[in-house]
Amino acid sequence: MKNEKIIIGSDHAGYNLKEKVKPFLTELGYEVFDIGTHSTKAIDYPLIAKELAKKIANEEFQKGILICGTGIGMSIAANKIKGIRAVVCSDTTSAKFSREHNNTNVLCFGERIVGEYLAKDICKIWLETKFAEDRHLKRVKLLED
Ligand code: RB5
């Protein structure tokens, strides 16, 4: 156990991939909190994104993962909450640099876009990459301002 907790959420279009990613995160040693959805019954992604993003903004959690059909709606919605830096990723390089340079705190991807194994690789590299700080500190601060 890494002593690190991760919050995860999806809409109906991301539900099946969420269920595959969750045990993988547990295997990596994270304590996983699932805020739903809990079936493939249609649900509006902004509601899930808002609930998860608020828990990051108020520092209940440091990092969260959101899955929808494309990852796009989730990232747009999460980025509306102050303090959230959400990225939508379909590749591991973007996942890595989004942590190193942008200190992203929410990772989004789409079940209709990435397969199970790529999704797991994206999660692993995103979770394990540290913010580089240095010259990026000032830029991330500017995002907040
Ligand atoms: C749901 O059909 C779909 O629109 C949603 O999961 C997401 O992809 C939106 O960005």
Side-chain angles (χ1 to χ4, degrees):
M1 182 68 75
K2 284 185 192 299
N3 251 342
E4 210 180 311
K5 47 183 200 169
I6 293 293
I7 185 168
I8 191 167
S10 77
D11 71 353
H12 55 288
Y15 168 75
N16 286 311
L17 186 54
K18 172 168 69 66
E19 293 308 301
K20 290 174 184 156
V21 163
K22 270 184 346 189
F24 175 71
L25 299 175
T26 308
E27 267 172 45
L28 289 180
Y30 295 93
E31 196 180 352
V32 182
F33 291 79
D34 182 1
I35 58 158
T37 190
H38 300 292
S39 75
T40 53
K41 184 167 171 278
I43 183 166
D44 300 326
Y45 62 82
L47 303 176
I48 300 284
K50 184 178 175 185
E51 185 180 337
L52 182 141
K54 286 198 156 178
K55 288 184 191 296
I56 305 238
N58 72 16
E59 297 181 352
E60 269 179 75
F61 292 84
Q62 296 211 312
K63 286 186 195 145
I65 296 174
L66 286 167
I67 311 169
C68 61
T70 58
I72 296 168
M74 286 295 198
S75 63
I76 293 171
N79 275 319
K80 302 270 179 205
I81 306 292
K82 188 161 171 54
I84 298 304
R85 292 175 301 280
V87 62
V88 54
C89 282
S90 303
D91 68 278
T92 51
T93 309
S94 302
K96 176 172 177 273
F97 281 109
S98 84
R99 287 285 311 127
E100 259 182 41
H101 289 200
N102 315 108
N103 199 16
T104 49
N105 48 16
V106 177
L107 170 67
C108 308
F109 49 84
E111 183 180 318
R112 295 171 182 162
I113 309 294
V114 298
E116 173 186 347
Y117 293 94
L118 178 55
K120 289 175 178 173
D121 284 348
I122 288 170
C123 286
K124 186 170 192 295
I125 199 155
W126 185 77
L127 288 166
E128 291 178 355
T129 304
K130 297 213 177 331
F131 180 40
E133 300 198 359
D134 192 35
R135 67 190 187 278
H136 304 293
L137 270 173
K138 178 179 155 228
R139 294 166 186 166
V140 169
K141 171 83 170 55
L142 283 168
L143 286 175
E144 294 308 303
D145 298 346

